[in-house]
Amino acid sequence: MQLPNLLATRRGRIAAFFLMYLTEGLPIGFATVTLATQLRRQGLGAAEIGGFLALVLLPWAFKWVYGPFVDLIASRRFGPRRGWILAAQSMMVLTLLPLAQLNLATQLSVFTALLFVHNLFGAVQDVAVDALAVTTLHEDERAFASGMMFGGQSLGVLLGGGGALLLVGQIGLAGAILAIVVLIGAVMAGVVVPMREDDGVAPVRRSPDLRAVAGEVRGFVREALQALLGSRLAFAGLLLAVLPISAMALARGLQSNLAVDLGLSNEQIGGLATASQAATAVTCIVGGWLSDRLPLRRALGVYMALLSLPGLGLMLALQRHAWAPGQAAPADLVTAFMAAVLAYQLLFGFIYGARVAVFIGITQPAVAATQFAAYMALTNLSITYSLVWQGHAVERWGYAATLGLDALVGLVGLAVLPFVRPSPAPARTSAARA
């Protein structure tokens, strides 16, 4: 039976981009929840785990480098964007399969290297999917599609994180890895293989060469610098992108480390991650819808302030119980932790949708893809360096102090917001890049 080309209909396009973004969320959830939890149980320190996560997720901070290659090197047989997506997903599968044969405790360096390459191809796939969205999505479906794409990524983080961690207790880490392989393979076989791009939308160059690619990269960098530094508005956008989204400690590695230290089982951590990411998936979609209907900067400022509250509440709970790692955690403290994580993830989807909408609004139409890709790359970089400093802060000052410091650092972006005035006519052509 021949599977349908999902790009041929509106519902099909929305479904296709949702599912392709789901595969992008899988490696992020797998690293930040499943592996971070397992490494903490094996005795690794918070700084070591933070460094591990920063390294394996680093390729996502350099998506702007891959763009010119995706634009310039294309396959006439497989399609300009589809060819890249097929190749990237194939390599994601091939780099995961050996992980199922490795011992995480004794072969961590090999595990890290393979996971780094896996995320590299995940990031390349993201660039190709975004490029396909720009050339495929109709103008009247881009805003909703952007929300659905982030919702799909959140669902992927859920499945690769909490879902995989739950499987670890049933079928082991190797079995959980193979389950992720099956998910990526299913999307590739059911969505990407039968997919057909519209002829002529993305022209195929007959003879790309490395000199042409190098020239395209140089031109890309020049355009990005001009767009990002050529005005006060552009510079304010640059600062907002490179600063943390808001408080970040309950989003990634620190959350997993603290869950283990509080004595939560893999099943409890997996269930919490599943519930919290489900909440984020829903609020990503709702946030995208609201971003077109509210005063954007005011809404973003409110979300940034609110997102600091769950961490501050947990900080006070930790101080009240005078708890330290190695001690049995009171039931009230465990409940406070789970409530803080759920509240944080519920708010996180709103802030991400509004933040992306702000970047769309200040992006110049003439360099839309370049400028917006740079903002998203810097956002990924802020996540990476947050993982590093928080890991070191936990080891030096403890969880409570780190949560308080993270809440303060997350509010710095509020000082930049008054200088970021979205254009009254935003560059809608870049909406799909979100």
Side-chain angles (χ1 to χ4, degrees):
M1 182 183 73
Q2 186 174 4
L3 294 173
N5 171 24
L6 293 180
L7 298 185
T9 65
R10 175 187 171 90
R11 290 184 178 180
R13 287 188 291 273
I14 300 297
F17 285 106
F18 176 87
L19 290 169
M20 286 188 287
Y21 255 66
L22 183 149
T23 65
E24 295 173 17
L26 290 170
I28 297 173
F30 181 64
T32 59
V33 178
T34 304
L35 292 183
T37 300
Q38 296 300 104
L39 290 172
R40 188 62 171 170
R41 293 201 186 284
Q42 292 174 8
L44 264 71
E48 293 174 293
I49 294 174
F52 164 79
L53 293 177
L55 178 59
V56 298
L57 297 179
L58 188 62
W60 294 89
F62 291 91
K63 293 192 299 180
W64 59 273
V65 175
Y66 320 139
F69 294 88
V70 172
D71 282 337
L72 194 61
I73 302 175
S75 167
R76 186 176 299 277
R77 177 180 178 184
F78 295 105
R81 314 305 186 196
R82 175 176 171 270
W84 277 97
I85 297 169
L86 279 172
Q89 289 184 341
S90 298
M91 292 305 299
M92 289 173 71
V93 168
L94 291 177
T95 49
L96 274 181
L97 285 173
L99 294 183
Q101 307 300 318
L102 296 178
N103 185 298
L104 181 61
T106 61
Q107 298 174 292
L108 182 58
S109 58
V110 180
F111 209 100
T112 302
L114 282 171
L115 201 57
F116 177 91
V117 177
H118 175 77
N119 277 279
L120 172 63
F121 285 107
V124 170
Q125 182 202 197
D126 180 57
V127 172
V129 170
D130 285 349
L132 180 66
V134 169
T135 58
T136 303
L137 290 171
H138 297 181
E139 185 175 358
D140 63 350
E141 62 194 27
R142 286 173 182 156
F144 180 63
S146 294
M148 289 294 292
M149 288 154 75
F150 275 117
Q153 187 181 62
S154 295
L155 181 59
V157 173
L158 181 158
L159 295 173
L165 191 58
L166 289 172
L167 287 178
V168 168
Q170 305 298 320
I171 55 178
L173 183 61
I177 292 171
L178 293 177
I180 294 175
V181 168
V182 170
L183 276 175
I184 297 173
V187 173
M188 182 167 62
V191 176
V192 183
V193 170
M195 191 168 69
R196 294 295 179 268
E197 294 181 66
D198 187 13
D199 293 337
V201 173
V204 179
R205 294 167 175 81
R206 291 185 178 277
S207 56
D209 56 58
L210 292 179
R211 285 181 299 177
V213 173
E216 187 80 1
V217 170
R218 288 194 296 270
F220 185 92
V221 172
R222 284 195 299 270
E223 287 184 355
L225 290 175
Q226 178 61 32
L228 293 168
L229 301 173
S231 68
R232 188 176 72 172
L233 172 63
F235 188 70
L238 174 68
L239 282 177
L240 186 64
V242 78
L243 289 170
I245 295 171
S246 182
M248 296 289 294
L250 291 177
R252 303 286 178 179
L254 184 145
Q255 178 200 138
S256 298
N257 292 340
L258 182 53
V260 173
D261 288 347
L262 286 171
L264 273 70
S265 66
N266 278 3
E267 289 72 24
Q268 288 175 306
I269 297 173
L272 177 61
T274 299
S276 59
Q277 283 299 323
T280 299
V282 172
T283 52
C284 274
I285 298 170
V286 175
W289 181 82
L290 284 176
S291 66
D292 288 331
R293 293 162 175 81
L294 295 175
L296 202 51
R297 287 184 303 151
R298 186 181 305 170
L300 181 56
V302 170
Y303 297 150
M304 291 171 70
L306 289 176
L307 204 58
S308 294
L309 297 181
L312 289 174
L314 182 57
M315 176 196 74
L316 294 175
L318 287 166
Q319 292 175 334
R320 184 170 62 254
H321 289 281
W323 174 85
Q327 299 175 353
D332 287 350
L333 181 57
V334 173
T335 300
F337 167 73
M338 298 179 77
V341 171
L342 285 171
Y344 179 91
Q345 295 292 350
L346 190 67
L347 289 167
F348 190 77
F350 287 109
I351 197 173
Y352 215 95
R355 182 180 165 98
V356 166
V358 166
F359 288 137
I360 290 172
I362 65 174
T363 297
Q364 301 175 25
V367 289
T370 298
Q371 190 176 357
F372 193 79
Y375 287 142
M376 292 297 97
L378 289 173
T379 297
N380 289 324
L381 181 62
S382 74
I383 294 171
T384 299
Y385 72 67
S386 295
L387 287 168
V388 174
W389 81 256
Q390 288 167 9
H392 286 283
V394 166
E395 292 199 341
R396 183 165 185 173
W397 300 309
Y399 285 112
T402 302
L403 287 165
L405 181 59
D406 175 63
L408 293 176
V409 171
L411 295 176
V412 174
L414 290 174
V416 181
L417 271 183
F419 303 99
V420 183
R421 293 182 177 273
S423 167
R428 300 300 296 173
T429 54
S430 66
R433 302 281 302 179

